[in-house]
Amino acid sequence: VIRRDRDYYDRSGGGVTLSGGEALLQWRFCRDLLKCCKEEGILTCVESALHVHPKAIDAVAPYADLFIADIKQMDTDVHKKYTGVGNELILSNIEKLVNMEKPLIIRMPIIPGFNDNVAFIDSASDFILHNLGNKPTYVQLLKYRPLGVEKAKTLGLPERMLNMQIENHEEFEDRIRSFAKRMNEKGIKTIAGSKDRK
C-alpha cells in the first residue's frame, strides 16, 4: 500500500508518517513497518504524544527520520487535570529523543485558559534551552481549534471545551505571534502557525 505512493514521496520530498491515536502503543508493528520503509529509501516520521514506555522509543527510533511531539503544559498537575496523566514521562521521552540526536519538531498548541500565558511559554522555553540544549529542529505554536466540541455533543460527552472559546481570533493570533517572538528572542527557532518547514 505504501509503495503505491512512491512517486508522490519522491516528487514532494515527503514520506510516511505514523500518527494516531497513538501509534507507539503498537510499537512492534511501527518498528517493522518503518524498517521496511527505510530499506526502500522512504523517509519516515513518527507523530506521538510520547506517553509510552521508553522501550517503544528505543525500538522505533533507529527507523524514524523525524519525530513530532507536543508539549501542552509544563505543570504536571495541570497537565494531569486536563489530560488524565502527568507530563513526566512525556518530557522524559522528549529528552531521550534529543539525547539520541533524533530530529524533533515540538508542537505547542496554545489553548485559552490552559496555557495561553507567558508563564507557560517561559517554562517551556527553559526546558527547551536547558534540558534539551535547544536542539529541536523547531517549535511550532499552534492556535487552538475547537474541533472536538461538536463531536463531544454528538457523543453526549460533557462539554468541558465550551469554556475554551476564543472571543477575538485576531487578538488570540497576535498573542501567539508575540509568544513566538518571545521564544525566538531567547534563541529558540519558533514559528507561529502550521506552515510546513523543510
Side-chain angles (χ1 to χ4, degrees):
V1 170
I2 288 171
R3 283 191 194 110
R4 290 178 199 156
D5 291 324
R6 182 61 189 257
D7 288 344
Y8 175 72
Y9 307 145
D10 292 343
R11 280 195 316 274
S12 67
V16 171
T17 298
L18 303 186
S19 188
E22 177 52 70
L24 292 185
L25 292 179
Q26 292 84 35
W27 62 265
R28 290 177 185 86
F29 173 78
C30 291
R31 175 199 60 204
D32 295 347
L33 179 61
L34 294 171
K35 184 178 180 186
C36 289
C37 289
K38 294 306 297 171
E39 287 169 355
E40 299 210 10
I42 297 171
L43 292 172
T44 57
C45 175
V46 175
E47 186 176 348
S48 171
L50 294 183
H51 193 269
V52 294
H53 195 285
K55 72 181 178 187
I57 307 292
D58 289 330
V60 168
Y63 309 107
D65 294 308
L66 173 68
F67 280 84
I68 300 173
D70 287 3
I71 294 179
K72 295 179 176 75
Q73 177 58 248
M74 291 305 295
D75 183 314
T76 193
D77 294 328
V78 175
H79 195 282
K80 186 170 186 174
K81 177 182 176 184
Y82 285 93
T83 69
V85 296
N87 65 0
E88 296 92 346
L89 180 58
I90 295 165
L91 297 179
S92 172
N93 280 332
I94 288 174
E95 287 186 58
K96 182 177 184 66
L97 286 171
V98 165
N99 290 334
M100 295 170 85
E101 303 288 331
K102 297 306 295 188
L104 171 68
I105 295 170
I106 293 177
R107 291 182 311 196
M108 292 169 43
I110 304 302
I111 304 165
F114 175 67
N115 65 4
D116 63 332
N117 56 67
V118 169
F120 166 66
I121 295 300
D122 287 350
S123 181
S125 296
D126 287 346
F127 175 74
I128 291 164
L129 290 170
H130 301 121
N131 296 65
L132 306 183
N134 201 16
K135 291 182 180 176
T137 306
Y138 62 88
V139 175
Q140 221 176 2
L141 302 186
L142 301 174
K143 177 182 171 184
Y144 166 75
R145 300 193 185 282
L147 301 175
V149 173
E150 285 304 315
K151 187 177 280 188
K153 287 180 184 175
T154 303
L155 296 172
L157 298 174
E159 298 175 14
R160 293 182 217 138
M161 295 166 67
L162 293 180
N163 64 342
M164 295 181 181
Q165 297 303 310
I166 299 167
E167 298 297 324
N168 185 321
H169 287 270
E170 192 173 317
E171 182 181 291
F172 190 64
E173 288 168 7
D174 284 344
R175 190 174 334 145
I176 292 172
R177 281 190 287 272
S178 76
F179 292 158
K181 182 180 180 200
R182 188 178 184 90
M183 293 181 77
N184 276 301
E185 287 171 351
K186 293 173 186 281
I188 301 167
K189 295 179 291 286
T190 308
I191 59 171
S194 58
K195 291 183 180 175
D196 292 335
R197 294 289 183 269
K198 298 274 183 190

